[in-house]
Amino acid sequence: MVELKKEIDKLKREHNAVILAHNYQLDEVQDAADHVGDSLYLSNIAAKTDCEVIVFCGVRFMAETAKILSPDKVVLLPEMDAGCPLADTVTGSDVRNLKRQHPKSPVVCYVNSSSEVKAESDICCTSANAVKVVASLPERKVIFVPDANLGNYVAKHVVGKELVFWDGVCNTHAKVQPGDIYLMKEKYPEAKILVHPECSPDVVEAADFAGSTSEIIRYAESSTARTFIIGTEVGVLCQLRSTQTQKQIFLLHPGLVCPNMKKTRLQSVYDALLNKRYKIQVEESVAEKAKQAITRMLEVV
Ligand code: 13P
Protein backbone atom coordinates (compact mmCIF):
# COMPACT_ATOMS: atom_id res chain seq x y z
CA MET A 1 0.00 0.00 0.00
CA VAL A 2 2.84 2.42 0.91
CA GLU A 3 4.67 1.57 -2.33
CA LEU A 4 1.53 2.08 -4.38
CA LYS A 5 0.94 5.43 -2.73
CA LYS A 6 4.53 6.48 -3.61
CA GLU A 7 4.00 5.43 -7.23
CA ILE A 8 0.76 7.42 -7.33
CA ASP A 9 2.55 10.52 -6.03
CA LYS A 10 5.23 10.08 -8.70
CA LEU A 11 2.69 9.73 -11.53
CA LYS A 12 0.77 12.67 -10.15
CA ARG A 13 3.82 14.91 -10.44
CA GLU A 14 4.67 13.57 -13.91
CA HIS A 15 1.16 14.27 -15.23
CA ASN A 16 0.53 17.46 -13.24
CA ALA A 17 -2.54 15.81 -11.74
CA VAL A 18 -4.72 16.47 -8.72
CA ILE A 19 -6.67 13.73 -6.93
CA LEU A 20 -10.11 14.61 -5.61
CA ALA A 21 -11.99 12.16 -3.38
CA HIS A 22 -15.53 12.27 -2.08
CA ASN A 23 -16.14 11.67 1.64
CA TYR A 24 -17.68 8.27 0.78
CA GLN A 25 -14.47 6.87 -0.74
CA LEU A 26 -12.50 4.08 0.90
CA ASP A 27 -9.95 5.23 3.50
CA GLU A 28 -7.04 4.16 1.28
CA VAL A 29 -8.35 6.44 -1.50
CA GLN A 30 -9.10 9.38 0.81
CA ASP A 31 -5.54 9.07 2.19
CA ALA A 32 -4.05 9.37 -1.30
CA ALA A 33 -6.17 12.37 -2.30
CA ASP A 34 -5.14 16.03 -2.42
CA HIS A 35 -8.66 17.16 -1.55
CA VAL A 36 -11.42 15.25 0.23
CA GLY A 37 -14.90 16.67 0.68
CA ASP A 38 -18.56 16.85 -0.24
CA SER A 39 -19.93 17.43 -3.74
CA LEU A 40 -20.02 21.22 -3.41
CA TYR A 41 -16.46 21.54 -2.12
CA LEU A 42 -15.09 19.23 -4.81
CA SER A 43 -16.97 21.09 -7.58
CA ASN A 44 -15.36 24.33 -6.44
CA ILE A 45 -11.91 22.75 -6.44
CA ALA A 46 -12.48 21.27 -9.90
CA ALA A 47 -13.51 24.69 -11.20
CA LYS A 48 -10.37 26.40 -9.88
CA THR A 49 -7.54 23.89 -10.19
CA ASP A 50 -4.43 24.73 -12.24
CA CYS A 51 -3.55 21.06 -12.73
CA GLU A 52 -3.88 19.54 -16.20
CA VAL A 53 -5.42 16.27 -15.01
CA ILE A 54 -8.18 15.74 -12.44
CA VAL A 55 -8.55 12.22 -11.06
CA PHE A 56 -12.06 12.18 -9.63
CA CYS A 57 -12.54 9.44 -7.05
CA GLY A 58 -16.29 9.37 -6.74
CA VAL A 59 -19.10 8.53 -9.13
CA ARG A 60 -19.75 9.47 -12.75
CA PHE A 61 -21.93 12.55 -12.22
CA MET A 62 -19.21 14.09 -10.04
CA ALA A 63 -16.52 13.53 -12.68
CA GLU A 64 -18.85 14.89 -15.39
CA THR A 65 -19.49 18.00 -13.29
CA ALA A 66 -15.71 18.50 -13.01
CA LYS A 67 -15.30 18.09 -16.79
CA ILE A 68 -18.11 20.58 -17.49
CA LEU A 69 -16.51 23.12 -15.17
CA SER A 70 -13.00 22.53 -16.50
CA PRO A 71 -13.45 21.45 -20.13
CA ASP A 72 -9.76 21.98 -20.98
CA LYS A 73 -8.63 19.52 -18.31
CA VAL A 74 -8.37 15.77 -18.64
CA VAL A 75 -10.84 14.34 -16.11
CA LEU A 76 -10.38 10.70 -15.15
CA LEU A 77 -12.90 8.47 -13.37
CA PRO A 78 -10.84 5.52 -12.05
CA GLU A 79 -13.76 3.04 -12.19
CA MET A 80 -15.77 3.42 -15.37
CA ASP A 81 -18.99 1.89 -14.02
CA ALA A 82 -19.09 3.86 -10.76
CA GLY A 83 -22.54 5.36 -11.29
CA CYS A 84 -25.41 6.68 -9.19
CA PRO A 85 -28.79 4.88 -9.35
CA LEU A 86 -30.48 8.01 -7.97
CA ALA A 87 -29.11 10.08 -10.89
CA ASP A 88 -30.41 7.42 -13.30
CA THR A 89 -34.02 7.81 -12.09
CA VAL A 90 -34.56 10.91 -14.25
CA THR A 91 -33.71 11.68 -17.89
CA GLY A 92 -33.50 14.85 -19.94
CA SER A 93 -36.78 13.93 -21.59
CA ASP A 94 -38.49 13.51 -18.18
CA VAL A 95 -37.39 17.05 -17.32
CA ARG A 96 -38.72 18.39 -20.64
CA ASN A 97 -42.09 16.77 -19.82
CA LEU A 98 -42.13 18.36 -16.38
CA LYS A 99 -41.39 21.75 -17.96
CA ARG A 100 -44.31 21.29 -20.35
CA GLN A 101 -46.59 20.51 -17.40
CA HIS A 102 -45.31 23.47 -15.33
CA PRO A 103 -44.18 25.99 -17.97
CA LYS A 104 -43.50 28.91 -15.65
CA SER A 105 -41.56 26.97 -13.03
CA PRO A 106 -37.76 26.87 -12.97
CA VAL A 107 -36.04 23.48 -12.64
CA VAL A 108 -33.60 22.87 -9.80
CA CYS A 109 -31.61 19.69 -10.24
CA TYR A 110 -29.59 17.99 -7.54
CA VAL A 111 -26.03 17.47 -8.84
CA ASN A 112 -26.72 13.74 -8.49
CA SER A 113 -28.06 13.81 -12.05
CA SER A 114 -26.80 13.28 -15.61
CA SER A 115 -25.29 16.08 -17.71
CA GLU A 116 -28.42 15.96 -19.94
CA VAL A 117 -30.64 16.64 -16.92
CA LYS A 118 -28.37 19.50 -15.84
CA ALA A 119 -28.57 20.91 -19.38
CA GLU A 120 -32.38 21.00 -19.11
CA SER A 121 -32.27 22.66 -15.67
CA ASP A 122 -32.11 26.32 -14.65
CA ILE A 123 -29.84 25.75 -11.67
CA CYS A 124 -28.15 22.89 -9.83
CA CYS A 125 -27.83 22.31 -6.11
CA THR A 126 -26.02 19.99 -3.74
CA SER A 127 -27.23 18.87 -0.34
CA ALA A 128 -25.07 21.64 1.19
CA ASN A 129 -26.77 24.51 -0.66
CA ALA A 130 -30.19 23.18 -1.77
CA VAL A 131 -32.14 25.39 0.63
CA LYS A 132 -30.21 28.53 -0.39
CA VAL A 133 -30.53 27.71 -4.09
CA VAL A 134 -34.32 27.25 -3.96
CA ALA A 135 -34.70 30.35 -1.76
CA SER A 136 -32.71 32.39 -4.29
CA LEU A 137 -35.32 31.87 -7.03
CA PRO A 138 -37.98 34.55 -7.52
CA GLU A 139 -40.65 32.06 -8.67
CA ARG A 140 -43.00 30.55 -6.08
CA LYS A 141 -43.39 27.16 -7.77
CA VAL A 142 -40.19 25.21 -8.42
CA ILE A 143 -39.55 21.83 -10.06
CA PHE A 144 -37.06 19.79 -8.01
CA VAL A 145 -35.37 16.65 -9.41
CA PRO A 146 -34.49 13.86 -8.80
CA ASP A 147 -34.32 13.34 -5.01
CA ALA A 148 -37.76 13.56 -3.36
CA ASN A 149 -36.30 13.26 0.15
CA LEU A 150 -33.94 16.19 -0.35
CA GLY A 151 -36.85 18.04 -1.98
CA ASN A 152 -38.97 17.44 1.11
CA TYR A 153 -36.16 18.70 3.32
CA VAL A 154 -35.89 21.87 1.21
CA ALA A 155 -39.67 22.41 1.24
CA LYS A 156 -39.61 22.40 5.06
CA HIS A 157 -36.82 24.97 5.22
CA VAL A 158 -37.86 27.51 2.59
CA VAL A 159 -40.79 29.78 3.24
CA GLY A 160 -43.44 30.47 0.59
CA LYS A 161 -42.42 27.94 -2.08
CA GLU A 162 -44.29 25.11 -3.70
CA LEU A 163 -42.06 22.27 -4.88
CA VAL A 164 -42.92 19.82 -7.64
CA PHE A 165 -41.01 16.61 -6.85
CA TRP A 166 -39.64 13.73 -8.86
CA ASP A 167 -39.88 10.46 -6.97
CA GLY A 168 -36.20 9.42 -7.02
CA VAL A 169 -34.44 8.32 -3.84
CA CYS A 170 -30.97 7.09 -2.93
CA ASN A 171 -31.22 3.31 -2.35
CA THR A 172 -28.53 3.46 0.32
CA HIS A 173 -30.09 6.23 2.45
CA ALA A 174 -33.59 4.80 1.91
CA LYS A 175 -32.61 1.77 4.01
CA VAL A 176 -32.71 3.86 7.20
CA GLN A 177 -36.00 3.81 9.12
CA PRO A 178 -37.06 5.99 12.09
CA GLY A 179 -37.01 2.77 14.19
CA ASP A 180 -33.22 2.63 13.69
CA ILE A 181 -32.96 6.05 15.34
CA TYR A 182 -35.22 5.10 18.28
CA LEU A 183 -33.15 1.95 18.91
CA MET A 184 -29.90 3.94 18.89
CA LYS A 185 -31.39 6.62 21.16
CA GLU A 186 -32.35 3.93 23.67
CA LYS A 187 -28.86 2.44 23.56
CA TYR A 188 -26.95 5.75 23.54
CA PRO A 189 -29.29 8.39 25.07
CA GLU A 190 -26.58 11.09 25.05
CA ALA A 191 -25.63 10.57 21.42
CA LYS A 192 -26.21 13.10 18.66
CA ILE A 193 -27.83 11.60 15.58
CA LEU A 194 -26.53 13.19 12.37
CA VAL A 195 -28.17 12.25 9.07
CA HIS A 196 -28.02 13.19 5.39
CA PRO A 197 -31.10 14.90 3.90
CA GLU A 198 -31.28 12.05 1.36
CA CYS A 199 -32.81 10.05 4.26
CA SER A 200 -36.62 9.93 4.41
CA PRO A 201 -38.42 12.92 6.00
CA ASP A 202 -39.42 10.94 9.13
CA VAL A 203 -35.78 9.91 9.65
CA VAL A 204 -34.61 13.52 9.25
CA GLU A 205 -37.35 14.61 11.67
CA ALA A 206 -36.19 12.13 14.33
CA ALA A 207 -32.50 13.12 14.01
CA ASP A 208 -30.65 15.94 15.80
CA PHE A 209 -29.08 17.33 12.63
CA ALA A 210 -29.31 16.92 8.86
CA GLY A 211 -26.62 18.13 6.49
CA SER A 212 -24.24 17.32 3.67
CA THR A 213 -21.42 14.86 4.29
CA SER A 214 -18.96 17.66 5.12
CA GLU A 215 -21.51 19.43 7.33
CA ILE A 216 -22.00 16.18 9.27
CA ILE A 217 -18.22 15.88 9.69
CA ARG A 218 -17.89 19.51 10.85
CA TYR A 219 -20.80 19.07 13.30
CA ALA A 220 -19.17 16.02 14.92
CA GLU A 221 -15.74 17.71 14.99
CA SER A 222 -16.95 20.89 16.69
CA SER A 223 -19.62 19.47 19.02
CA THR A 224 -18.84 18.91 22.71
CA ALA A 225 -20.94 15.72 22.68
CA ARG A 226 -18.98 12.49 23.06
CA THR A 227 -21.08 10.07 21.03
CA PHE A 228 -22.40 10.38 17.48
CA ILE A 229 -24.60 8.16 15.35
CA ILE A 230 -23.96 8.74 11.66
CA GLY A 231 -26.85 8.40 9.23
CA THR A 232 -25.01 8.56 5.95
CA GLU A 233 -22.55 6.43 4.01
CA VAL A 234 -19.90 4.64 6.08
CA GLY A 235 -17.00 6.59 4.46
CA VAL A 236 -17.91 9.58 6.63
CA LEU A 237 -17.70 7.44 9.73
CA CYS A 238 -14.26 6.08 8.79
CA GLN A 239 -12.95 9.62 8.37
CA LEU A 240 -14.39 10.77 11.72
CA ARG A 241 -13.07 7.77 13.61
CA SER A 242 -9.54 8.52 12.47
CA THR A 243 -9.62 12.19 13.51
CA GLN A 244 -12.01 12.19 16.51
CA THR A 245 -10.27 9.56 18.57
CA GLN A 246 -11.76 10.80 21.87
CA LYS A 247 -15.32 10.42 20.59
CA GLN A 248 -17.51 7.38 19.98
CA ILE A 249 -18.79 7.21 16.44
CA PHE A 250 -21.35 4.62 15.27
CA LEU A 251 -23.13 3.93 12.00
CA LEU A 252 -26.93 4.29 12.19
CA HIS A 253 -27.62 1.32 9.89
CA PRO A 254 -25.27 -1.45 8.69
CA GLY A 255 -26.57 -1.04 5.12
CA LEU A 256 -25.17 2.47 4.75
CA VAL A 257 -22.57 1.37 2.21
CA CYS A 258 -22.75 2.78 -1.33
CA PRO A 259 -21.61 -0.03 -3.68
CA ASN A 260 -20.67 2.45 -6.42
CA MET A 261 -18.54 4.66 -4.19
CA LYS A 262 -16.74 1.56 -2.93
CA LYS A 263 -15.67 0.44 -6.43
CA THR A 264 -12.62 2.72 -6.45
CA ARG A 265 -9.57 1.28 -4.71
CA LEU A 266 -6.04 2.63 -4.41
CA GLN A 267 -5.06 0.32 -7.29
CA SER A 268 -7.79 1.93 -9.45
CA VAL A 269 -6.27 5.36 -8.80
CA TYR A 270 -2.84 4.10 -9.80
CA ASP A 271 -4.19 2.44 -12.95
CA ALA A 272 -6.12 5.59 -13.83
CA LEU A 273 -2.98 7.74 -13.67
CA LEU A 274 -0.76 5.21 -15.42
CA ASN A 275 -3.13 4.55 -18.32
CA LYS A 276 -4.87 7.95 -18.32
CA ARG A 277 -8.25 6.24 -17.95
CA TYR A 278 -11.23 6.52 -17.94
CA LYS A 279 -11.45 9.87 -19.71
CA ILE A 280 -14.73 11.69 -19.15
CA GLN A 281 -16.28 13.36 -22.21
CA VAL A 282 -19.44 15.44 -22.23
CA GLU A 283 -20.95 16.41 -25.56
CA GLU A 284 -20.20 20.10 -26.16
CA SER A 285 -23.75 21.42 -26.59
CA VAL A 286 -24.91 19.53 -23.47
CA ALA A 287 -21.86 20.67 -21.50
CA GLU A 288 -22.40 24.32 -22.42
CA LYS A 289 -25.99 24.34 -21.13
CA ALA A 290 -25.19 22.22 -18.07
CA LYS A 291 -22.36 24.60 -17.19
CA GLN A 292 -24.79 27.50 -16.90
CA ALA A 293 -26.85 25.58 -14.31
CA ILE A 294 -23.76 24.57 -12.32
CA THR A 295 -22.13 28.01 -12.47
CA ARG A 296 -25.38 29.66 -11.41
CA MET A 297 -25.36 27.37 -8.35
CA LEU A 298 -21.75 28.21 -7.48
CA GLU A 299 -22.64 31.92 -7.62
CA VAL A 300 -25.46 31.50 -5.06
CA VAL A 301 -23.18 30.30 -2.27
P1 13P B 1 -22.78 15.41 -0.39
O1 13P B 1 -23.08 16.48 -1.34
O2 13P B 1 -23.34 15.63 0.97
O3 13P B 1 -21.34 15.09 -0.34
O4 13P B 1 -23.54 14.08 -0.84
C1 13P B 1 -23.35 13.50 -2.07
C2 13P B 1 -24.12 12.27 -2.19
O5 13P B 1 -24.11 11.67 -3.23
C3 13P B 1 -24.92 11.83 -1.07
O6 13P B 1 -25.39 10.52 -1.23
Side-chain angles (χ1 to χ4, degrees):
M1 203 75 94
V2 180
E3 277 311 303
L4 197 53
K5 170 88 174 37
K6 274 192 197 150
E7 290 301 314
I8 287 174
D9 286 341
K10 205 169 120 208
L11 284 170
K12 219 172 62 176
R13 281 192 299 275
E14 268 170 43
H15 295 314
N16 186 17
V18 63
I19 301 177
L20 311 185
H22 187 264
N23 289 321
Y24 291 163
Q25 290 288 292
L26 290 170
D27 279 6
E28 62 188 44
V29 175
Q30 293 195 23
D31 288 347
D34 298 293
H35 303 277
V36 180
D38 65 6
S39 313
L40 181 61
Y41 173 77
L42 296 176
S43 300
N44 273 306
I45 301 275
K48 289 175 192 154
T49 183
D50 291 331
C51 291
E52 287 163 53
V53 177
I54 300 171
V55 183
F56 210 117
C57 305
V59 292
R60 178 166 288 272
F61 76 79
M62 295 179 175
E64 283 188 3
T65 303
K67 180 69 185 172
I68 291 165
L69 287 168
S70 289
D72 303 336
K73 312 275 150 101
V74 172
V75 177
L76 305 175
L77 180 67
E79 288 294 329
M80 190 168 51
D81 60 350
C84 173
L86 165 63
D88 296 340
T89 60
V90 68
T91 64
S93 129
D94 293 327
V95 177
R96 284 193 292 279
N97 280 337
L98 282 168
K99 289 198 284 195
R100 272 193 288 275
Q101 286 164 39
H102 309 277
K104 294 197 176 110
S105 304
V107 179
V108 177
C109 78
Y110 189 28
V111 282
N112 299 39
S113 55
S114 66
S115 302
E116 288 75 19
V117 165
K118 289 182 177 75
E120 290 294 340
S121 301
D122 295 277
I123 185 164
C124 288
C125 73
T126 74
S127 59
N129 63 17
V131 172
K132 273 191 193 167
V133 164
V134 172
S136 76
L137 300 170
E139 294 86 352
R140 195 186 67 80
K141 191 163 146 193
V142 172
I143 301 168
F144 192 94
V145 297
D147 191 298
N149 287 341
L150 179 63
N152 259 290
Y153 176 81
V154 172
K156 283 205 180 99
H157 288 82
V158 207
V159 186
K161 299 275 184 204
E162 181 193 339
L163 265 68
V164 176
F165 300 130
W166 187 251
D167 69 353
V169 290
C170 161
N171 298 332
T172 303
H173 287 96
K175 289 177 188 160
V176 183
Q177 299 295 318
D180 299 315
I181 295 196
Y182 305 139
L183 273 179
M184 283 298 200
K185 276 194 169 161
E186 234 172 80
K187 213 166 160 190
Y188 304 103
E190 307 295 322
K192 292 285 179 203
I193 316 249
L194 318 178
V195 303
H196 198 278
E198 283 183 19
C199 291
S200 69
D202 40 3
V203 167
V204 171
E205 187 68 34
D208 294 297
F209 175 77
S212 79
T213 52
S214 289
E215 286 170 334
I216 288 175
I217 291 168
R218 283 197 289 275
Y219 186 108
E221 282 171 351
S222 60
S223 167
T224 53
R226 313 272 310 157
T227 309
F228 300 88
I229 314 290
I230 304 299
T232 191
E233 214 270 349
V234 66
V236 165
L237 177 130
C238 296
Q239 203 185 118
L240 276 173
R241 274 191 180 156
S242 70
T243 59
Q244 306 300 298
T245 48
Q246 305 303 311
K247 297 175 180 174
Q248 281 190 297
I249 323 268
F250 300 106
L251 195 62
L252 177 54
H253 187 289
L256 282 165
V257 181
C258 171
N260 281 289
M261 282 285 183
K262 288 332 194 215
K263 284 178 179 159
T264 308
R265 290 155 297 115
L266 195 59
Q267 183 70 45
S268 332
V269 181
Y270 172 76
D271 293 342
L273 276 164
L274 185 70
N275 303 309
K276 288 248 183 125
R277 74 180 194 199
Y278 295 93
K279 283 194 184 116
I280 294 291
Q281 299 292 356
V282 182
E283 208 253 299
E284 216 179 298
S285 63
V286 172
E288 251 172 52
K289 284 205 247 161
K291 189 172 184 174
Q292 289 172 21
I294 302 167
T295 310
R296 192 171 164 196
M297 162 185 88
L298 295 177
E299 282 161 4
V300 170
V301 187

